[in-house]
Amino acid sequence: MAEQYPSTAQCAVLATAFKVLLFPAYRSTDFEVHRNWLALTHSLPIKEWYYEKTSEWTLDYPPAFAYLEWLLAQMARFVDPDILKVENLGYESWRTVYFQRSTVILAELLLIYALNCYVHSSSREAKQTCYAAALSILLSPALLIIDHIHFQYNGFLYGILILSLVYARKQSGLLASGLLFALLLCFKHIYLYLAPAYFVYLLRVHCLDSNMKFQLYSTFKLGSGLAVIFGSMFGPFAYWRQLDQLLLRLFPFARGLCHAYLAPNIWSLYSFTDRVLLLVAPRLGLGIDENAVNRVTRGLVGDTTFACLPSISPRATFLFTLVSQMPSLVKLFLEPSWETFVGAVTLCGYSSFLFGWHVHEKAILLVVVPFSLVALRDRRYLGAFRPLAVAGHVSLFPLIFTAAEFPIKTVYTVFWLLLFLLVFDRLAPVPSRPRVFLLDRFSLLYITVSIPLIVYCSLVHQFVFGERYEFIPLMFTSSYSAIGVVGSWIGFLVVYFTS
């Protein structure tokens, strides 16, 4: 097959040039979060990293990411030494901005490498569809908005995830796949939600033989590798008896159930329902929790309470997440193919996003990225992917609320959706099984509704109401996006269990 044009590298160069132009763009408090982490990892001994609290943006990522911040700090001191002063809260010189923005782009080279490996490891027949899926991730509006405007380091983390999934394609790469995923967990613990799929798949195809007997040598190699990775990352903190403090930082359950209406999951719909019931409660004779009326799902740090519906505990969200993951894990154990594995990873991502505790809207990438790798398997998969692609990206719009960036996020996202959904529609093969009629019609209707929703939430509401009822656009966006994510989840469940 002839080399694809434009190549992944050529697209990456063009995308990088565009991202450089966004250096002066809006940046969220996450920019100061990472500047502070540069400062504290550079200025303090390791044993003080997870106790430092001069800034409210304390270190709450696992040790591997802290070590990465330390490494970046060694370069930062040659750019602007004032970056590395812990007491310089909110420091944003132009050199600071350009340095931190540049590190995001440099780290994203790992994503480009992983996508290139994904395309080259695919079969000759699937090369074109894999290439299209790879470009959709590389040019993703979600990564542009979250990493290069809002400011985070998700690109290289998803590069590690994709590389891990690519290695899992062959029996000879299973050990490397498991170790890469373990390393990923040491960078960011949100990927724990995907761990059940990895555990079942590696157990079934790496640790057990065809007769369901343990392969001791393979199991020993995997266990030893995991022990070395986790031991090297967490061992020093265990030695200093700081694991309790580290876990307290990584899992702050004091935060509320919902994150400011933004994450489009089951709990945003639950919050919306509570808000509606609050309006009609007097007529229906429903009881109201007066203490919760003024703090319903405001995204504040603290327990989220509801005025009419029962409150949800962290334990309940964990059980919902685990139970919703179990069917896909059972199928993965019984049918351990690579496609089934990626599908199970995707469904674990769905479950964690839909039912998890204090889920951020940015976590939708846990679903979108692995699903993209199998979305073009056939048109049934694509039918489930379409509403997710729209919902996942529209839900990120409230992250960027400044006027200057409005046309960037809107035009870029709409263009990406039109381009890749049309390309995907042309490339996706006809399935051997009948398509789900209702899902196709749902996708069409859902995409159509997105246009007036974006117009109202971004323009009309502020023009009509000004600063009043500021929660309404967030609630509409979150609820609309939640319907799309839930619809996509149900559609993919049907496809997954009938394939």
Side-chain angles (χ1 to χ4, degrees), residues 169-306:
R169 267 182 160 166
K170 296 181 179 180
Q171 185 75 25
S172 59
L174 290 173
L175 177 62
S177 174
L179 297 183
L180 273 174
F181 184 72
L183 180 63
L184 179 61
L185 294 179
C186 294
F187 273 105
K188 195 169 183 178
H189 51 301
I190 193 173
Y191 296 98
L192 273 171
Y193 285 125
L194 310 182
Y198 271 86
F199 173 80
V200 171
Y201 188 65
L202 291 173
L203 172 67
R204 183 66 178 82
V205 300
H206 185 70
C207 298
L208 297 175
D209 60 20
S210 57
N211 296 318
M212 294 295 178
K213 294 182 179 179
F214 271 101
Q215 303 182 84
L216 295 181
Y217 184 57
S218 297
T219 305
F220 174 77
K221 286 194 297 182
L222 179 59
S224 300
L226 296 178
V228 169
I229 290 174
F230 289 121
S232 61
M233 294 297 172
F234 292 92
F237 301 96
Y239 177 77
W240 296 320
R241 299 183 180 180
Q242 293 183 358
L243 285 182
D244 288 345
Q245 174 66 16
L246 196 155
L247 293 175
L248 189 64
R249 286 284 182 88
L250 298 185
F251 302 100
F253 287 112
R255 295 176 182 176
L257 171 67
C258 300
H259 184 254
Y261 273 121
L262 297 180
N265 60 8
I266 292 293
W267 308 125
S268 70
L269 294 176
Y270 192 81
S271 302
F272 178 78
T273 304
D274 188 72
R275 179 70 70 172
V276 172
L277 289 176
L278 181 60
L279 298 176
V280 300
R283 296 184 180 181
L284 300 179
L286 299 176
I288 298 176
D289 181 356
E290 297 292 343
N291 294 326
V293 169
N294 294 323
R295 39 186 306 224
V296 175
T297 59
R298 289 290 186 177
L300 301 174
V301 173
D303 293 334
T304 302
T305 55
F306 298 97

Side-chain angles (χ1 to χ4, degrees), residues 383 387 435-446 487 491:
R435 293 162 64 183
V436 183
F437 177 81
L438 288 178
L439 183 59
D440 287 344
R441 294 300 174 266
F442 168 76
S443 298
L444 179 62
L445 176 63
Y446 187 81

Side-chain angles (χ1 to χ4, degrees), residues 406-467:
F406 171 74
I408 297 173
K409 70 177 183 182
T410 306
V411 173
Y412 188 90
T413 301
V414 170
F415 180 76
W416 183 92
L417 287 170
L418 288 174
L419 174 63
F420 281 102
L421 290 184
L422 287 174
V423 170
F424 282 13
D425 193 63
R426 291 185 60 184
L427 293 178
V430 176
S432 57
R433 292 175 176 267
R435 293 162 64 183
V436 183
F437 177 81
L438 288 178
L439 183 59
D440 287 344
R441 294 300 174 266
F442 168 76
S443 298
L444 179 62
L445 176 63
Y446 187 81
I447 294 171
T448 304
V449 172
S450 67
I451 299 172
L453 178 89
I454 293 172
V455 172
Y456 173 80
C457 293
S458 301
L459 299 173
V460 175
H461 179 84
Q462 188 169 10
F463 179 78
V464 175
F465 296 106
E467 299 300 322

Side-chain angles (χ1 to χ4, degrees), residues 37 41 49-50 59 61-71 186-187:
W37 293 358
T41 54
W49 286 359
Y50 287 96
L59 181 59
Y61 274 24
F65 205 98
Y67 298 144
L68 173 64
E69 294 281 4
W70 177 86
L71 183 64
C186 294
F187 273 105

Side-chain angles (χ1 to χ4, degrees), residues 477-493:
T477 300
S478 181
S479 299
Y480 164 82
S481 300
I483 291 171
V485 176
V486 172
S488 171
W489 175 56
I490 294 172
F492 188 52
L493 281 172

